[in-house]
Amino acid sequence: MDRSYLDDELNKIGLLEFEHEMRDLALKIFDSNAECISLSENERIRLKELLFSCTYGTMKERWIRQVWHMQPGADKVSVPIKLRYLARRLFPDKTYLENWCQEYEPYIAQHRWLMPVAPIWRIVKRGVEKRKQVKKEFDTIRKA
């Protein structure tokens, strides 16, 4: 690949410095000849973020991004916004619920008369299978 072309394109979208940081970090981490890896404090922080964040960042960052859409420009999250967020997470809209049933509970999707039970079943199932993740999300909401 043409490195200068890639650098120009990355520079246009403001990712040139980020790409260089990531490439330098990857070279240090995956260097098979290095006996000991010495990372700067910024590199350690970046590596920790990469290792311990989900696809879209941490749960707190994800939640904050979702709240910004509900309460743009606010410094502090109000209680009504927190409750509205929780209501939306616990009882999603019909389209989301139908897609969820097709993916995770095909029996409910096949038997449409069970759809009124689907939100409750979803809460119970998620509470059992992903207990730690649910607790983490509620803690994040409570502390924000």
Side-chain angles (χ1 to χ4, degrees), residues 13 25 57 82 118 136:
I13 59 174
L25 183 60
K82 290 179 183 181
K136 203 186 281 186

Side-chain angles (χ1 to χ4, degrees), residues 88-99:
R88 196 176 67 201
R89 289 286 288 141
L90 291 172
F91 302 102
D93 62 1
K94 183 180 177 182
T95 307
Y96 177 87
L97 204 54
E98 287 174 354
N99 291 335

Side-chain angles (χ1 to χ4, degrees), residues 37-91:
I37 300 171
S38 63
L39 300 174
S40 69
E41 185 62 28
N42 286 339
E43 289 172 332
R44 274 191 227 129
I45 291 170
R46 179 70 72 179
L47 182 61
K48 184 179 176 183
E49 288 172 353
L50 291 170
L51 291 174
F52 297 108
S53 294
C54 301
T55 304
Y56 301 105
T58 62
M59 285 295 284
K60 184 176 182 179
E61 291 166 352
R62 175 181 170 221
W63 183 73
I64 289 170
R65 275 194 306 275
Q66 289 180 348
V67 169
W68 280 343
H69 294 293
M70 296 171 71
Q71 187 178 358
D75 293 336
K76 189 175 180 184
V77 181
S78 64
V79 173
I81 294 296
K82 290 179 183 181
L83 292 174
R84 203 165 81 195
Y85 171 82
L86 284 173
R88 196 176 67 201
R89 289 286 288 141
L90 291 172
F91 302 102

